[in-house]
Amino acid sequence: MRLFTPLTLASLILAAPVAAREAPSPARLKDSVTTLAAFGTRHSLSTTTDPKRGIGAARNWAASRFAAIGRDCGGCLTVERISRRFVGPRAPNGVVIEDVLGIQKGTDPNRYVIVGGHIDSMRSDVMDSVGDAPGANDDASGVSLVLEAARILSKEKFAATIVYAVFSGEEQGLWGGTLLAQTAKARGWQVDAMLNNDIVGNSIGQGGLKVADRVRVFSEGIRADESLAEAMERRAIGGEDDGPSRALAKAIDGVAQALPGKFDAFVDRRPDRFGRGGDHEPFLAEGYPAVRFTSAVENWDRQHQDVRTEGGRPYGDLPEAMDFDYLAHVTAINVGTLARLAAAPAAPVAVSVSGALSRDTTVAWKPVPGATAYKVYWRRTDRQDWADSRTVTGATETLLKEVPVDDNFVGVSALSAGGAESLVTFAGRAPRR
Ligand SMILES: [Zn+2]
């Protein structure tokens, strides 16, 4: 009797690093959310000097958590606080917006992956900076996820630097996201992925609908920073479903499928919920791949509402309306995605295809630093998911026999020596910036 077929042996070997990684703790996530809700309000214009109440105390607490994680890993995580003054309709007299960052330096000098959530909260009246605004799900859930991801991943070493970001000013105008996206640009960071987590800890939606096995991952298909020339190029060759952010969402879907628990990442094919936005958008504006995670079903009685009961119906964003096993699942998907992309080489910058008037397609790309192999994908143009793939070693070009370029889309990813895979770069005539 054979104990192991080659397939089960291979899957055991592949599963080993994931099995060794600690799973996110629902209890620890709940502790963080409860602590954050207990600051009373975390409104961006609330007190920054009170030691127990307001956004200043909450940001100090987040910084202290990053510092503790850094001490536990022998200094692998450092804390940085960046700030800038913003003025807008929701802060007419201006406010200093501060982001608290935990930075886990990688071995590559300039590659970054970012995970973020916003620490600020709001009441029914977005201008009320004094009354209670517990903001448990929106967005202490995202901040707790970021802290838990930092704690787990600080036990490993990666090629890319991981930035764990706690944003302020989201409700006043996406200012914390804007601050970090523009800081990244000014410092010349190559951001390979940005994961925004905003409202990720509830499984009961409006009217009692329960969806506990799915999270939505919103992504743009067409890049926000695309030039007119690039738009015309895309019009000619396709690629509407293959922008870098969509490739990121598809990668997340793959990470979710590989985790235990049958928890689905729903690749929601628009930048955000209809007519609404979040902190990933300033990153998209700078040309960085970015997505938003949000619970499958929202409960609007529990978002942006003063805590109260009306006619026996409870309102308010309290920890009691959350599901911490659900939040732990979403955290695990983030952790898996960050680990994969931080261990992988960068995605290929430019991939070209040729083969007009031929039954075959030639695929070529520029070498990627740190890549030991490449994976070439293709699918028929009437499909959304890659159907076939081939691993290429020792070359930056391959011929796909009997794969006509007219009827197939092609993409290429880069692989590390350990098998970690980058995002897939869509093959076209124009190079990706
Ligand atoms: Zn939010």
Side-chain angles (χ1 to χ4, degrees), residues 92-170:
N93 299 318
V95 60
V96 174
I97 292 299
E98 183 185 73
D99 292 338
V100 181
L101 311 176
I103 299 177
Q104 184 177 349
K105 202 87 188 127
T107 51
D108 278 7
N110 204 38
R111 288 182 45 236
Y112 291 79
V113 294
I114 300 172
V115 60
H118 72 87
I119 200 167
D120 61 301
S121 63
M122 64 174 277
R123 285 169 62 82
S124 299
D125 174 5
V126 70
M127 302 304 285
D128 181 351
S129 63
V130 178
D132 281 353
N137 198 20
D138 186 11
D139 182 31
S141 66
V143 172
S144 303
L145 178 156
V146 167
L147 293 170
E148 182 69 349
R151 192 185 66 80
I152 292 167
L153 292 174
S154 65
K155 300 183 168 102
E156 300 174 43
K157 299 217 179 307
F158 297 100
T161 293
I162 305 177
V163 177
Y164 306 94
V166 172
F167 300 119
S168 304
E170 197 270 350

Side-chain angles (χ1 to χ4, degrees), residues 17-52:
V18 177
R21 187 175 297 140
E22 196 183 334
S25 155
R28 196 174 274 104
L29 290 160
K30 185 178 184 180
D31 275 355
S32 295
V33 168
T34 308
T35 300
L36 285 162
F39 287 105
T41 176
R42 305 186 310 276
H43 191 281
S44 292
L45 280 73
S46 63
T47 173
T48 57
T49 52
D50 189 305
K52 290 192 174 141

Side-chain angles (χ1 to χ4, degrees), residues 118 120-122 137-140 170-171 196-199 273 277-279 292 303-304 317:
H118 72 87
D120 61 301
S121 63
M122 64 174 277
N137 198 20
D138 186 11
D139 182 31
E170 197 270 350
E171 307 288 7
N196 179 28
N197 288 272
D198 197 348
I199 310 178
R273 302 148 307 160
D279 278 324
R292 179 203 181 109
Q303 288 177 26
H304 300 181
D317 189 356

